[in-house]
């Protein structure tokens, strides 16, 4: 009996000890597993530092969205860059699109295609005869002359341009060209000029084309012709035949929606910041859009620029017909998307909440805009601390026209590096051409001699003779 009780105690004690051992083993295994797991986690976090995520993602180069369907992006594009119409902003889009896809640009020898002379194909850098070189994009300032443009651009090129209300255009032109246009220089102010333009205007003086029917002039038409309905309609028809789309600067976002669908380009290709904008001066007591003009003065300016006013009215009507075809509700939706994307990029890319700033406040001299005229031309500063990909994408959006053209020119026509003189640092292409840099951007005199060839010549007669001599050596050229 006693033996049985002893045996029973021994069995119970053995089971108890075995249970303790199992529990201890399970606890041990749990500790080992947890330690290994923590070790893996900490080792991964120490070996692979966190990568900064891009603040916004750029669409792939040829990405499509559902609204574009199955169309293919146009890569042969000609933009007639008219003056004071937000055309610098449009040109930046073309530069970015072609730059990102390594397309070939038809670039001028200087900064304009011999303006104000009618365009001649030989003004294109690298041009070697009709269609010898496959150019994709053309957009710098010219006085349009389609027979010569057709020699440069492929037959499937998409032609487009942009217009602006002649009153707003006159205000901007006056501020920008007062120092160079004799008609503006003689007037005390735009209101004074508007009261009696003929008093100040002499068609024989160079640069006075800035003071009358500037759009008509840029389209290659006779801007000094007396207005008649038949003449106006003839000019309008010539523009319609040459251009597939005419945009309006007053309705810029709607214009970008129409443009991107016409070209089959992704959204980011037409998202932009306003470039070459002027600092606006407040005019207290003015009830007509800040122009400081009476309703009568505005009427007189439209009468003075009657050919431009006809062109603007005609294509304003056409523009809204295109919007109706596109669909009002669809347009509102896409404009909202465009503005939302622009706001996001501004928050990501730009200092000061995206507000443009005076050139003198921009620390990086390579992105200071060129200064001209009576008012200050504004630019942008980038946010600090952007990762490299985001910084490069943002920089393209704010790079001024002159600097961007020089960059593209250097890529298309690379020069062999020159040995630096003793004690002189090698020149960096990224810094832009040395003649462009000064406290407020580019030096006015040197740039404008390239920007407007008429500064460097004594008379219109010499300009015209030079153009005609060049035209004689170029078969198929006709006088406008």
């Amino acid at each position: 009996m006693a033996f049985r009780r002893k045996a029973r105690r021994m069995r119970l004690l053995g089971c108890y000890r075995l249970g303790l051992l199992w529990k201890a083993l399970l606890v041990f295994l749990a500790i080992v597993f947890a330690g290994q797991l923590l070790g893996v986690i900490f080792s991964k976090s120490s070996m692979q530092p966190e990568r900064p995520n891009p603040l916004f993602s750029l669409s792939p180069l040829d990405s499509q969205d559902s609204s574009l369907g199955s169309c293919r992006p146009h890569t042969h594009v000609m933009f007639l860059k008219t003056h004071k119409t937000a055309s610098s902003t449009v040109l930046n889009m073309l530069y970015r699109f072609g730059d990102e896809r390594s397309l070939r640009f038809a670039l001028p020898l200087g900064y304009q295609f011999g303006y104000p002379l009618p365009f001649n194909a030989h003004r294109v850098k690298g041009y070697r005869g009709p269609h010898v070189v496959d150019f994709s994009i053309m957009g710098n300032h010219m006085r349009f002359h389609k027979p010569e443009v057709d020699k440069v651009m492929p037959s499937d090129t998409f032609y487009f341009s942009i217009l602006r209300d002649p009153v707003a255009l006159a205000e901007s032109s006056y501020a920008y060209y007062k120092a160079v246009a004799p008609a503006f220089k003689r007037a005390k102010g735009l209101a004074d000029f508007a009261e009696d333009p003929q008093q100040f205007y002499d068609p024989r003086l160079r640069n006075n084309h800035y003071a009358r029917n500037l759009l008509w002039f840029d389209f290659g038409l006779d801007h000094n012709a007396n207005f008649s309905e038949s003449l106006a309609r003839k000019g309008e028809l010539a523009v319609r035949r040459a251009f597939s789309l005419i945009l309006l600067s007053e309705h810029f976002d709607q214009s970008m929606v129409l443009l991107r669908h016409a070209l089959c380009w992704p959204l980011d290709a037409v998202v932009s910041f306003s470039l070459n904008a002027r600092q606006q001066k407040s005019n207290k007591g003015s009830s007509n859009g800040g122009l400081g003009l009476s309703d009568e003065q505005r009427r007189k300016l439209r009468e003075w620029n009657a050919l431009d006013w006809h062109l603007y009215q005609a294509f304003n009507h056409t523009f809204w017909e295109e919007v109706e075809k596109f669909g009002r509700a669809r347009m509102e939706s896409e404009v909202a998307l465009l503005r939302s994307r622009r706001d996001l990029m501004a928050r990501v890319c730009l200092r000061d909440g995206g507000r443009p700033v005076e050139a003198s406040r921009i620390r990086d001299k390579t992105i200071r805009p060129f200064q001209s005229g009576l008012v200050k031309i504004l630019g942008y500063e980038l946010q600090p601390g952007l990762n490299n990909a985001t910084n490069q994408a943002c920089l393209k959006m704010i790079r001024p026209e002159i600097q961007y053209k020089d960059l593209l020119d250097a890529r298309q026509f690379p020069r062999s590096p020159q040995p630096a003189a003793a004690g002189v640092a090698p020149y960096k292409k990224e810094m832009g051409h040395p003649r462009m840099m000064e406290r407020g951007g580019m030096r006015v005199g040197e740039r404008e001699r390239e920007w407007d060839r008429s500064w460097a010549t004594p008379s219109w007669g010499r300009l015209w003779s030079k153009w005609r001599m060049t035209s004689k050596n170029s078969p198929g050229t006709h006088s406008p």
Side-chain angles (χ1 to χ4, degrees), residues 248-314:
L248 301 179
S249 63
E250 289 87 353
H251 305 285
F252 191 81
D253 290 345
Q254 291 87 346
S255 294
M256 292 303 100
V257 172
L258 291 180
L259 179 65
R260 96 173 185 94
H261 280 271
L263 294 176
C264 193
W265 283 9
L267 175 63
D268 281 352
V270 299
V271 176
S272 63
F273 306 133
S274 178
L275 300 181
N276 207 33
R278 294 178 295 117
Q279 186 178 54
Q280 298 296 324
K281 295 182 178 180
S282 61
N283 290 311
K284 296 181 180 180
S286 174
S287 60
N288 47 41
L291 297 179
L293 300 172
S294 68
D295 289 341
E296 178 63 14
Q297 289 165 344
R298 294 165 66 86
R299 184 194 65 78
K300 287 181 177 180
L301 277 177
R302 288 195 175 112
E303 186 178 273
W304 173 246
N305 296 285
L307 294 169
D308 277 7
W309 180 231
H310 173 91
L311 205 63
Y312 181 82
Q313 287 181 299

Side-chain angles (χ1 to χ4, degrees), residues 217-257:
F217 183 89
D218 285 350
F219 278 96
L221 304 169
D222 182 3
H223 69 125
N224 282 316
N226 292 324
F227 178 85
S228 70
E229 283 292 336
S230 60
L231 176 65
R233 291 188 184 279
K234 185 178 178 182
E236 174 196 335
L237 181 60
V239 174
R240 290 191 187 278
R241 286 174 174 168
F243 293 87
S244 299
L245 181 63
I246 299 294
L247 310 177
L248 301 179
S249 63
E250 289 87 353
H251 305 285
F252 191 81
D253 290 345
Q254 291 87 346
S255 294
M256 292 303 100
V257 172

Side-chain angles (χ1 to χ4, degrees), residues 58-195:
L58 292 176
S59 304
L61 292 183
D62 295 312
S63 69
Q64 297 283 29
D65 59 45
S66 58
S67 66
L68 292 176
S70 59
C71 61
R72 294 178 61 84
H74 282 272
T75 55
H76 293 154
V77 180
M78 190 278 164
F79 172 55
L80 178 60
K81 187 178 187 295
T82 50
H83 285 80
K84 318 316 299 171
T85 57
S87 60
S88 292
T89 304
V90 179
L91 183 60
N92 175 265
M93 298 174 196
L94 300 181
Y95 278 167
R96 284 188 282 131
F97 184 87
D99 187 12
E100 291 165 5
R101 290 157 180 78
S102 300
L103 301 179
R104 178 173 288 275
F105 289 86
L107 297 172
L109 298 173
Y111 291 99
Q112 300 190 115
F113 290 111
Y115 191 88
L117 292 176
F119 175 76
N120 185 286
H122 291 280
R123 295 296 305 171
V124 176
K125 192 170 184 178
Y127 176 78
R128 298 197 299 271
H131 309 298
V132 174
V133 179
D134 184 18
F135 293 104
S136 292
I137 295 177
M138 172 183 278
N140 294 83
H141 275 306
M142 68 165 66
R143 189 176 185 201
F144 189 65
H145 187 46
K146 195 169 190 299
E148 288 292 299
V149 177
D150 285 344
K151 294 179 183 179
V152 179
M153 301 303 292
S155 60
D156 64 344
T157 296
F158 183 91
Y159 285 72
F160 77 102
S161 190
I162 187 168
L163 302 179
R164 187 180 186 183
D165 185 312
V167 174
L169 181 63
E171 187 268 347
S172 184
S173 296
Y174 183 87
Y176 202 81
Y177 298 115
K178 181 173 174 60
V180 302
F184 288 154
K185 194 183 301 186
R186 293 172 179 174
K188 296 178 181 178
L190 181 59
D192 187 37
F193 177 83
E195 284 294 340

